[in-house]
Amino acid sequence: MDDTPDSPTDNDYQAALARGLLPIREVARQTGVNPVTLRAWERRYGLVTPLRTTKGHRLYTQEEVARIRHILTWLDRGVAVGQVKGLLKEQVPQAPSESSPASPWEEQRQHLLEAVGNLAERQLDERFNAALALYPPLTLYRQLLAPLLAELEQRWHGQFGGQVERVFLHSWLRTKLGARLYHHNRQFSGAPVLMVNLSDLPLEPGLWLTAWLASNAGCVVDVFDWPVPPSELAVAVARIRPRALLLYSSQPFAAGQLPRLLTGHACPCVLAGPAVAIHRAELEPDVLLADGPLDALQRLTDLGLLHHR
């Protein structure tokens, strides 16, 4: 069941919407938990219990939406999805203690580290797909991907074989997240957020992770994964007419380069990535800055471009 009414004559579905019940895609938009994950939480774990029309379409009350947000609170604290149901009996979420269920993330991270070390694309893909089916992207980024990348950067420093692991993982990330952006962009409408890699590096994983998170928040995203000269950047903005421009770099800029890149656009402009720490003093408070993907997501949310938390 795809949870889409067969036709406008699905009377009980339309009547339920009129009473304030929400279809699964609207719940996904409001909470950031995609429909596949919502169905998995229902079928495998009994975490949510939507109502059903006679034709089987799922409909959610505001209480169920609040329950989903409560689930997200526990997941963001590192609790495994299979352990959340018992914790939902508590009225107020509490910080994990020594008696709290063990985090699932360490084991998952070790599996991914092993896959990267073996250059095993299928193993990496299967592990990531399994996690993505159970956890929303924001939780996956906070609990799994960000710690994984930080640990790998330390492992790669000065280690023989580190560069081939970096190339392997970054290539997989671009393919994996790029495919998801392509799929999401065909579901959404409106002007995109244009995200541009300003580094000389062939791939900025933080840029692709930012694009993936923004895309999952209901926004069309275009990614230019190579530096663009300031004069031609203006051409791209004029032709694409994005709702916002996000410039990402982990490398410092030459003197006088930033004003030409950041000014003169007919849309909001955000500078993101590790380069922000280098140039912060000369840019604040006049420029929107984001140190990493989560900060960038917050800036886009503050601009009113994203739908959910």
Side-chain angles (χ1 to χ4, degrees):
M1 176 62 63
D2 63 3
D3 295 290
T4 302
D6 296 329
S7 71
T9 59
D10 187 351
N11 293 329
D12 59 343
Y13 180 88
Q14 297 298 332
L17 296 184
R19 297 199 309 272
L21 297 178
L22 300 175
I24 193 169
R25 294 198 179 279
E26 175 60 20
V27 174
R29 188 188 72 82
Q30 290 188 18
T31 64
V33 184
N34 66 51
V36 171
T37 300
L38 288 172
R39 294 186 193 105
W41 287 0
E42 174 191 349
R43 293 168 177 166
R44 294 175 60 177
Y45 300 103
L47 291 175
V48 290
T49 311
L51 303 174
R52 295 292 191 105
T53 69
T54 54
K55 292 187 177 181
H57 304 303
R58 291 171 174 83
L59 293 164
Y60 296 78
T61 64
Q62 290 297 335
E63 289 76 14
E64 283 295 307
V65 174
R67 183 178 176 88
I68 291 166
R69 296 190 187 280
H70 197 169
I71 293 167
L72 289 172
T73 299
W74 281 115
L75 296 182
D76 287 344
R77 292 172 184 267
V79 175
V81 65
Q83 298 166 328
V84 170
K85 189 172 183 180
L87 296 172
L88 289 175
K89 297 176 182 178
E90 300 185 25
Q91 294 300 312
V92 180
Q94 301 174 358
S97 65
E98 294 182 359
S99 61
S100 298
S103 169
W105 301 110
E106 175 61 27
E107 181 180 358
Q108 293 199 43
R109 189 165 69 253
Q110 291 304 318
H111 285 311
L112 295 185
L113 286 169
E114 179 184 352
V116 172
N118 293 331
L119 306 183
E121 182 178 11
R122 178 172 294 184
Q123 179 185 353
L124 183 62
D125 210 50
E126 289 175 350
R127 292 287 183 181
F128 181 77
N129 288 342
L132 190 60
L134 296 179
Y135 297 96
L138 267 176
T139 301
L140 270 188
Y141 174 75
R142 289 187 183 115
Q143 302 291 346
L144 184 61
L145 294 178
L148 173 73
L149 288 170
E151 184 170 346
L152 283 170
E153 285 296 337
Q154 291 186 0
R155 184 167 99 180
W156 292 334
H157 185 68
Q159 174 184 299
F160 179 77
Q163 184 61 13
V164 73
E165 287 186 9
R166 187 196 305 271
V167 171
F168 164 75
L169 179 63
H170 287 186
S171 299
W172 175 83
L173 264 179
R174 175 163 49 191
T175 300
K176 189 71 174 180
L177 302 185
R180 293 190 171 274
L181 257 65
Y182 178 88
H183 175 71
H184 289 160
N185 281 351
R186 272 134 193 83
Q187 296 180 346
F188 307 140
S189 59
V193 172
L194 176 59
M195 300 189 181
V196 182
N197 176 9
L198 294 181
S199 299
D200 292 331
L201 302 174
L203 184 142
E204 285 277 16
L207 172 67
W208 282 98
L209 288 163
T210 300
W212 175 57
L213 293 175
S215 176
N216 278 283
C219 182
V220 179
V221 179
D222 288 350
V223 177
F224 284 11
D225 197 11
W226 199 256
V228 178
S231 59
E232 296 192 24
L233 180 61
V235 172
V237 172
R239 294 181 183 176
I240 295 175
R241 298 181 181 179
R243 65 178 74 184
L245 175 66
L246 187 141
L247 306 176
Y248 195 99
S249 180
S250 61
Q251 299 174 326
F253 295 94
Q257 185 180 7
L258 277 174
R260 291 184 297 149
L261 288 166
L262 295 171
T263 59
H265 305 300
C267 63
C269 184
V270 178
L271 179 66
V276 165
I278 302 170
H279 297 279
R280 189 184 306 278
E282 64 189 272
L283 296 174
E284 285 185 332
D286 300 321
V287 178
L288 292 172
L289 302 176
D291 291 283
L294 292 181
D295 287 334
L297 199 68
Q298 187 59 55
R299 296 294 172 269
L300 296 174
T301 300
D302 293 341
L303 292 169
L305 304 179
L306 305 183
H307 295 305
H308 62 71
R309 59 193 284 277

